[in-house]
């Protein structure tokens, strides 16, 4: 289902900082964060549908996706993982890209999508839920935002915990350097679940309870499901970027970091 915390245009060293957990079945073939062949896009990649949940380009374009928690989904729907790829390859301004989805959004199951162009300081949130209504297109203001499996900044248990815990860490370092790897390992492995009264009551109690922590781990009839990648993407005010990821590979946790420069960003 995934969760992402974004610090946007609100820190003197990091105009963009993102923490992300990707939740999926452990047996679904997935490539860890890497440069994609034949283009300047970097991110993880689903090897079945060829989409992604989080990726960016050297030109300073970023896209992150989460699913909307809902009781019924359409098996014949288009793959939501295509949406970040479409943005990164489109060259369109975030608002223009959002507008272009108006006629296509209903072909997908429920999604939340954030697209950003760091150079133009533009970030837009897009969602095709509630079902049957016009898609949501919202400019994202500077500050801290959390995207879980409802609307942007919905006060779900996991979103509140991640935001609170990140603010506590941020207070330690103020306007200085943020130890991103340390914070990722500390905050994104949080397994504290919600009380029953704090659940959204959309699906079954057991399913919602197991999904209510920042780090998800649940055994299902289809196999293990849960967090299989924790990543941090940071962009500094001089354009230097870093993609850190800790991920599952054949049942073992591994980590790596890729540093690069975003072109024409600042």
């Amino acid at each position: 289902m995934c969760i992402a915390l974004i610090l946007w245009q609100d820190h003197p060293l990091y105009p963009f900082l993102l923490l992300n957990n990707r939740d999926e079945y452990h047996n679904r073939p997935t490539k860890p964060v890497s440069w994609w062949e034949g283009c300047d896009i970097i991110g993880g990649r689903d090897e079945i549908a060829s989409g992604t949940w989080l990726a960016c380009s050297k030109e300073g374009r970023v896209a992150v996706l989460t699913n909307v928690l809902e009781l019924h989904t359409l098996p014949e729907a288009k793959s939501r993982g295509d949406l970040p790829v479409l943005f990164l390859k489109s060259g369109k301004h975030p608002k223009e890209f959002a507008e272009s989805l108006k006629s296509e959004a209903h072909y997908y199951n429920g999604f939340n999508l954030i697209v950003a162009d760091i150079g133009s300081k533009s970030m837009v949130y897009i969602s095709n839920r509630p079902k049957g209504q016009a898609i949501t297109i919202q400019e994202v203001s500077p500050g801290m935002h959390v995207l879980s499996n409802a609307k942007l900044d919905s006060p779900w248990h996991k979103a509140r915990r991640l935001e609170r815990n990140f603010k506590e860490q941020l207070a330690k370092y103020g306007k200085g350097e943020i130890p991103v790897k340390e914070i990722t390992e500390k905050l994104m492995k949080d397994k504290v679940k919600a009380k029953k009264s704090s659940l959204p009551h959309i699906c079954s109690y057991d399913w919602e309870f197991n999904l209510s922590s920042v780090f998800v781990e649940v055994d299902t009839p289809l196999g293990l499901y849960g967090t299989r990648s924790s990543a941090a993407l940071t962009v500094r005010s001089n354009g230097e970027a870093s993609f850190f990821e800790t991920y599952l590979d054949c049942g073992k946790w591994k980590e790596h970091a890729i540093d690069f420069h975003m072109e024409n960003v600042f």
Side-chain angles (χ1 to χ4, degrees):
M1 299 297 286
C2 306
I3 186 170
L5 179 144
I6 300 169
L7 187 62
W8 173 238
Q9 302 293 338
D10 199 37
H11 192 281
L13 296 183
Y14 305 93
F16 181 89
L17 183 152
L18 179 146
L19 303 179
N20 172 258
N21 270 359
R22 188 239 181 163
D23 302 333
E24 185 52 90
Y25 286 99
H26 288 196
N27 57 13
R28 187 176 177 97
T30 302
K31 288 184 179 179
V33 169
S34 61
W35 290 105
W36 296 4
E37 187 176 354
C39 61
D40 63 355
I41 295 174
I42 181 173
R45 200 154 200 185
D46 176 67
E47 293 192 83
I48 293 180
S50 298
T52 187
W53 58 98
L54 169 63
C56 70
S57 71
K58 280 187 177 179
E59 287 73 35
R61 296 165 65 79
V62 185
V64 60
L65 173 80
T66 71
N67 295 349
V68 173
L69 182 64
E70 49 192 354
L71 187 58
H72 301 292
T73 58
L74 300 174
E76 69 276 14
K78 287 186 175 183
S79 173
R80 289 168 285 202
D82 289 342
L83 293 167
V85 183
L86 288 172
F87 170 70
L88 293 172
K89 291 186 174 181
S90 72
K92 294 178 179 178
H93 185 273
K95 187 69 176 294
E96 181 188 2
F97 176 78
E99 295 288 341
S100 74
L101 288 183
K102 283 184 174 180
S103 62
E104 301 288 324
H106 65 281
Y107 291 119
Y108 299 87
N109 285 316
F111 69 80
N112 293 310
L113 177 67
I114 286 182
V115 292
D117 183 326
I118 298 174
S120 64
K121 297 184 179 180
S122 174
M123 179 180 288
V124 173
Y125 163 68
I126 311 161
S127 180
N128 66 343
R129 292 295 183 267
K131 194 173 183 179
Q133 297 185 16
I135 69 168
T136 298
I137 299 175
Q138 172 189 331
E139 289 278 355
V140 180
S141 60
M144 189 181 303
H145 302 274
V146 182
L147 185 65
S148 57
N149 308 115
K151 292 289 187 181
L152 179 65
D153 295 322
S154 290
W156 281 22
H157 167 82
K158 64 197 304 180
R160 281 180 164 176
R161 280 191 63 84
L162 182 55
E163 181 177 17
R164 181 176 68 249
N165 291 340
F166 183 78
K167 283 181 177 178
E168 289 177 358
Q169 293 298 313
L170 201 58
K172 293 181 181 180
Y173 306 103
K175 298 180 179 180
E177 191 94 10
I178 299 174
V180 175
K181 176 182 174 181
E182 176 185 320
I183 286 178
T184 302
E185 292 175 343
K186 182 178 293 185
L187 303 189
M188 306 312 284
K189 301 296 184 185
D190 182 3
K191 297 181 181 180
V192 176
K193 294 180 171 59
K195 297 178 180 178
K196 187 174 182 178
S197 59
S198 299
L199 296 174
H201 306 295
I202 298 168
C203 302
S204 70
Y205 165 74
D206 286 344
W207 186 238
E208 289 189 359
F209 177 74
N210 284 313
L211 295 180
S212 66
S213 51
V214 174
F215 186 93
V216 173
E217 194 173 47
V218 55
D219 200 358
T220 80
L222 298 177
L224 284 173
Y225 177 91
T227 304
R228 49 181 299 175
S229 168
S230 295
L233 174 61
T234 58
V235 181
R236 294 174 176 269
S237 53
N238 62 0
E240 293 302 315
S242 182
F243 221 139
F244 169 77
E245 181 188 33
T246 174
Y247 62 98
L248 270 178
D249 182 26
C250 298
K252 295 183 179 179
W253 284 95
K254 298 181 179 180
E255 66 177 51
H256 64 161
I258 301 174
D259 300 325
F260 59 101
H261 183 79
M262 284 190 170
E263 300 168 358
N264 304 316
V265 171
F266 302 102

